[in-house]
Amino acid sequence: MSLLPALTARAASPLVNRRQLMGAGLAPLLVPLASMAAAPTRDAAIRSLSAAQEQLAMCSRLVASGPSLEQLREAASIMGTRELDEANLAALFDVVTEKQSATEKAMNSAAFVVYYEEARYGDTRLEPQTPGVRAQQNGFRRDVLRSLDDLKAELRLLASGGAEQDVEDLDDLRRYADAASRALGDYLALSKK
């Protein structure tokens, strides 16, 4: 079926409805444009994560020793960049993190049986004795996102100027920045192998 008769019949109105598109075999045009955007490649995602690590290092240097209110505000603005946006980082992590293997899928599907068989017979051969690369990547990912969330909250509090800076708050700020930087560095080191 051609779309031309439908369009010529409605010459006064150039709008084409959903039923006409479906009948003409043009249903793929109904997919939203956002979903058609190309996902970054693994190498591009690693480069973007490295850029995020550089931004995080810059923020860490700003809060390293007794930062002024201006330095705190500058660090807060760095934390608000696209490189350190939580949704952007999560999407990059999704691209870089290793996909679940067939063995992992099978073990997850049979987790109930495996758990009770191990407990019943003391047979631990089925479960991996050391965490795999994917498990380690997911652990570092959680650490990065949690530390960044804590760091952003602490920076918002201190950069607002309403709260007085005490030693504990500044220590927390440094600890969160160091934890996020370390976890992202470990994730990248593991992922580049």
Side-chain angles (χ1 to χ4, degrees):
M1 177 177 177
S2 173
L3 188 61
L4 190 59
L7 289 176
T8 55
R10 302 183 105 204
S13 175
L15 297 177
V16 177
N17 67 24
R18 185 179 204 86
R19 184 173 293 152
Q20 290 168 333
L21 283 174
M22 295 293 283
L26 298 174
L29 294 177
L30 298 175
V31 177
L33 290 178
S35 67
M36 296 175 78
T41 64
R42 189 172 195 280
D43 292 337
I46 287 176
R47 284 193 301 273
S48 295
L49 286 172
S50 295
Q53 186 180 25
E54 291 171 11
Q55 293 286 329
L56 195 54
M58 227 176 5
C59 184
S60 292
R61 284 191 297 274
L62 283 170
V63 300
S65 60
S68 66
L69 188 59
E70 292 170 13
Q71 289 173 318
L72 288 172
R73 288 185 177 149
E74 186 178 347
S77 70
I78 290 172
M79 294 303 294
T81 60
R82 185 176 185 283
E83 288 90 2
L84 295 173
D85 177 54
E86 184 176 342
N88 181 46
L89 284 174
L92 293 172
F93 284 138
D94 286 342
V95 171
V96 176
T97 301
E98 297 216 358
K99 305 302 176 221
Q100 198 173 35
S101 70
T103 304
E104 285 177 316
K105 286 180 185 177
M107 291 299 288
N108 288 343
S109 297
F112 179 78
V113 173
V114 169
Y115 175 77
Y116 284 102
E117 289 299 310
E118 283 180 354
R120 185 173 179 189
Y121 298 113
D123 186 6
T124 58
R125 292 176 296 157
L126 295 175
E127 287 292 320
Q129 300 304 314
T130 59
V133 172
R134 185 170 185 274
Q136 290 175 344
Q137 284 176 324
N138 285 331
F140 291 137
R141 171 190 177 147
R142 280 191 299 275
D143 291 345
V144 169
L145 294 175
R146 183 179 36 242
S147 297
L148 280 177
D149 190 40
D150 292 341
L151 179 61
K152 287 177 183 179
E154 196 71 30
L155 274 171
R156 274 193 304 272
L157 172 74
L158 294 174
S160 67
E164 193 171 314
Q165 295 180 12
D166 63 351
V167 175
E168 276 186 30
D169 289 336
L170 294 176
D171 286 344
D172 288 344
L173 189 64
R174 287 184 206 102
R175 189 178 68 233
Y176 298 145
D178 290 342
S181 183
R182 185 176 47 256
L184 186 54
D186 290 344
Y187 181 90
L188 285 171
L190 185 63
S191 299
K192 288 179 182 177
K193 288 182 181 177

